[in-house]
Amino acid sequence: MFIGFDYGTSSCSVAYMQDGTPSPIALEGDNIYIPSTLAAPTREAVTESLYRFYNIVPDTQNGQASLRRAVAVNREEGIELAPGDIAFGQAALQQYLSDPEFTYYVKSPKSFLGSTGLRDAQLQFFEDLVCAMMANIKQRSEQALQEHIDDTVIGRPIHFQGRGGTLADQQAEAILLNAAKRVGFKHVEFQFEPVAAGLEFEASLTEDKIVLIVDIGGGTTDCSMIEMGPNYRHKQDRTRSILGHTGQRIGGNDLDIHLAFRQLMPEFGYGSLMRSGLEMPITQFWNPVAINDVPAQTDFYSQANKTRLQELYKNAREPEKLARLLQLQQSILGHGVVRRAEEAKIALSQQQQIQSQLDFLQDEVTITLTQQAMMESIQAPKLKMMRLVKEAVDQSGVTPDVIYMTGGSAKSPILRQTVADLLPDIPVVGGNDFGSVTAGLARWAQMCFGVSPSSVTEK
């Protein structure tokens, strides 16, 4: 059996082919999307649980060493793991919000896979994180279908988040491939996410068109100019029909982060003054919400930074705000702030003004947010996204017949209108904003495995 697997930055989903049509599989209750989140008692619990409860044995010396370290650390801290201690999706978020100080919580590990300068132990741990999430999804899918799933096509962005260029992309794809093999997929292929999204749209075309696919996901934006239609849809090699593509580590998460920074962090002291008249250092307010930046998060939650924050509190003109920042640091609440910003972004796409409540703080704070303030806050990442759209068109040297927008953030009427303004008189269409990539991956899986499964490949 084969599936298309969208291992997304914000959420994951899978689909199989049923009577020639992609069919999604429920992964969390009746929901076909499961947030890309994981919660555990400790960081080391993730690695130990793979071996203890999923029967996933490390396949390298580095992996075996990581497992030994994880078991030793958990024993030293008196942690005895039980089945179910690792939570995924909404359950992971709820576990984190209910007990943030004693929960190891990860959102969007895909954002970290292309990071440069990672040590072998860090690479191994990221692989374990991906492995745990894939194992959970594969297990749930097999339970739903009552069949073993051996083959998969996994979606990948044109460029993963990371500054290492081709090497970063190779590193990220290798982590995904190794994790997929460890959880039991025998045959694995990869397909670019915007191409997969286009395959689903192509199934509806009755004539050939040049399509600009704008895929705005949680962590990346990818834009591809592709020749599509009846004369292309059955070709296994689509390389020649790709006229141009661009991609960058900018996505819906960045909109959330910028909104959190500009509109919510002032309640924690951003923009306030010290007694000397100097402004508070900006990094102390950016780092806690920069949830896709490992070094920023590590620095903010360090013990050394706690000392720095205590000094800022003593010298603040508005110490009550710095007290909130100290609480945020000590209770590891940065994800909660960004979550409120994400909720506000969604609500402000339809309303002019909303009330956002930071109800996870000791002194609950209510903030009034406006659509205009949101648009100003997300201006920088929005401009980067539109630059990618323009560069894809310029690179191809042709004008698209139609613009197909997909991805979770493509639902935003603000982004859709911005694209329409950038390329006037070209129709902008959309489909299943979250599901088009998954459906396209399932179609490609049928191309790869429908007759006879191919061998595992690394591109």
Side-chain angles (χ1 to χ4, degrees):
M1 176 115 192
F2 58 82
I3 58 170
F5 196 142
D6 182 12
Y7 182 77
T9 305
S10 296
S11 62
C12 299
S13 58
V14 295
Y16 70 108
M17 296 299 291
Q18 186 177 39
D19 299 326
T21 302
S23 181
I25 301 170
L27 297 176
E28 193 172 45
D30 294 330
N31 199 335
I32 61 175
Y33 308 106
I34 183 168
S36 300
T37 55
L38 176 150
T42 65
R43 181 180 187 274
E44 291 75 19
V46 177
T47 298
E48 184 177 351
S49 291
L50 284 176
Y51 170 73
R52 193 168 299 282
F53 304 120
Y54 287 91
N55 197 31
I56 297 175
V57 181
D59 57 354
T60 64
Q61 288 186 346
N62 190 43
Q64 293 166 4
S66 293
L67 176 59
R68 288 194 295 271
R69 284 195 300 271
V71 172
V73 170
N74 286 330
R75 295 301 169 270
E76 288 174 7
E77 296 185 5
I79 295 174
E80 291 291 338
L81 295 178
D85 277 354
I86 308 298
F88 304 91
Q90 288 293 341
L93 177 62
Q94 293 305 316
Q95 182 172 319
Y96 162 71
L97 291 176
S98 64
D99 193 11
E101 192 171 356
F102 296 100
T103 300
Y104 177 77
Y105 179 74
V106 178
K107 178 181 179 181
S108 309
K110 184 179 178 181
S111 302
F112 311 144
L113 303 187
S115 300
T116 56
L118 297 178
R119 300 187 301 275
D120 286 345
Q122 290 173 305
L123 288 170
Q124 181 62 53
F125 180 66
F126 285 157
E127 184 181 306
D128 287 349
L129 277 176
V130 175
C131 206
M133 295 173 70
M134 283 189 171
N136 174 62
I137 290 170
K138 186 173 187 289
Q139 187 179 84
R140 289 172 183 247
S141 299
E142 290 178 336
Q143 289 173 349
L145 298 176
Q146 292 295 296
E147 286 193 56
H148 286 293
I149 301 172
D150 294 326
D151 310 323
T152 186
V153 171
I154 300 173
R156 54 151 291 180
I158 293 174
H159 297 297
F160 287 86
Q161 295 191 32
R163 299 173 183 174
T166 301
L167 291 177
D169 292 339
Q170 291 173 347
Q171 171 183 287
E173 189 172 296
I175 291 173
L176 290 174
L177 177 62
N178 292 341
K181 291 165 64 179
R182 287 176 65 195
V183 303
F185 288 113
K186 295 179 181 178
H187 309 103
V188 181
E189 294 283 352
F190 288 94
Q191 180 56 273
F192 290 128
E193 290 160 0
V195 174
L199 292 174
E200 178 62 10
F201 176 59
E202 184 180 50
S204 68
L205 294 178
T206 57
E207 60 181 353
D208 294 343
K209 291 182 180 292
I210 296 175
V211 182
L212 170 60
I213 300 166
V214 180
D215 181 9
I216 307 177
T220 59
T221 293
D222 289 306
C223 305
S224 299
M225 288 280 281
I226 307 179
E227 294 176 313
M228 314 199 90
N231 290 319
Y232 297 96
R233 65 169 60 112
H234 297 298
K235 293 183 178 181
Q236 283 198 308
D237 184 0
R238 300 300 297 267
T239 306
R240 292 184 179 181
S241 63
I242 301 175
L243 306 178
H245 60 247
T246 57
Q248 192 176 338
R249 48 172 293 177
I250 192 82
N253 286 349
D254 296 275
L255 302 179
D256 304 336
I257 288 168
H258 278 258
L259 182 58
F261 176 61
R262 296 291 181 185
Q263 299 300 318
L264 302 185
M265 290 311 291
E267 296 297 331
F268 297 87
Y270 170 53
S272 65
L273 301 177
M274 292 186 281
R275 291 177 183 174
S276 64
L278 296 175
E279 283 194 6
M280 291 286 173
I282 290 178
T283 55
Q284 291 290 5
F285 308 98
W286 174 258
N287 285 356
V289 296
I291 59 174
N292 55 5
D293 186 333
V294 176
Q297 293 277 282
T298 301
D299 180 70
F300 181 77
Y301 290 113
S302 67
Q303 186 62 33
N305 195 50
K306 179 181 178 180
T307 302
R308 292 194 290 267
L309 291 176
Q310 288 171 335
E311 285 299 314
L312 291 176
Y313 170 77
K314 293 176 183 178
N315 293 290
R317 287 189 179 180
E318 299 178 86
E320 71 280 1
K321 292 185 177 180
L322 270 294
R324 294 187 195 121
L325 188 64
L326 270 166
Q327 183 192 346
L328 186 152
Q329 197 262 359
Q330 292 168 29
S331 298
I332 317 177
L333 292 170
H335 281 280
V337 177
V338 177
R339 174 65 174 170
R340 291 295 179 268
E342 180 185 13
E343 293 168 351
K345 177 191 69 177
I346 294 170
L348 288 169
S349 293
Q350 305 295 330
Q351 303 174 51
Q352 291 294 321
Q353 181 174 302
I354 66 162
Q355 301 289 317
S356 179
Q357 293 183 323
L358 303 181
D359 52 5
F360 47 80
L361 297 173
Q362 289 177 357
D363 59 329
E364 183 175 322
V365 177
T366 300
I367 304 170
T368 300
L369 298 174
T370 66
Q371 192 176 87
Q372 180 61 35
M374 179 188 72
M375 293 176 66
E376 293 171 359
S377 299
I378 67 173
Q379 183 71 1
K382 186 182 74 171
L383 287 176
K384 289 182 180 180
M385 293 174 182
M386 295 310 108
R387 193 175 301 124
L388 291 172
V389 174
K390 186 176 185 303
E391 287 175 358
V393 175
D394 293 344
Q395 188 184 115
S396 69
V398 296
T399 300
D401 298 312
V402 62
I403 302 167
Y404 179 65
M405 291 189 66
T406 187
S409 295
K411 292 172 68 70
S412 167
I414 295 171
L415 294 182
R416 285 187 179 239
Q417 186 59 51
T418 304
V419 170
D421 293 341
L422 183 66
L423 297 168
D425 303 321
I426 298 174
V428 179
V429 301
N432 184 343
D433 294 317
F434 285 100
S436 58
V437 171
T438 314
L441 292 172
R443 290 183 183 277
W444 195 257
Q446 186 171 53
M447 295 276 285
C448 296
F449 309 122
V451 179
S452 60
S454 60
S455 61
V456 176
T457 59
E458 296 180 70
K459 297 183 180 179

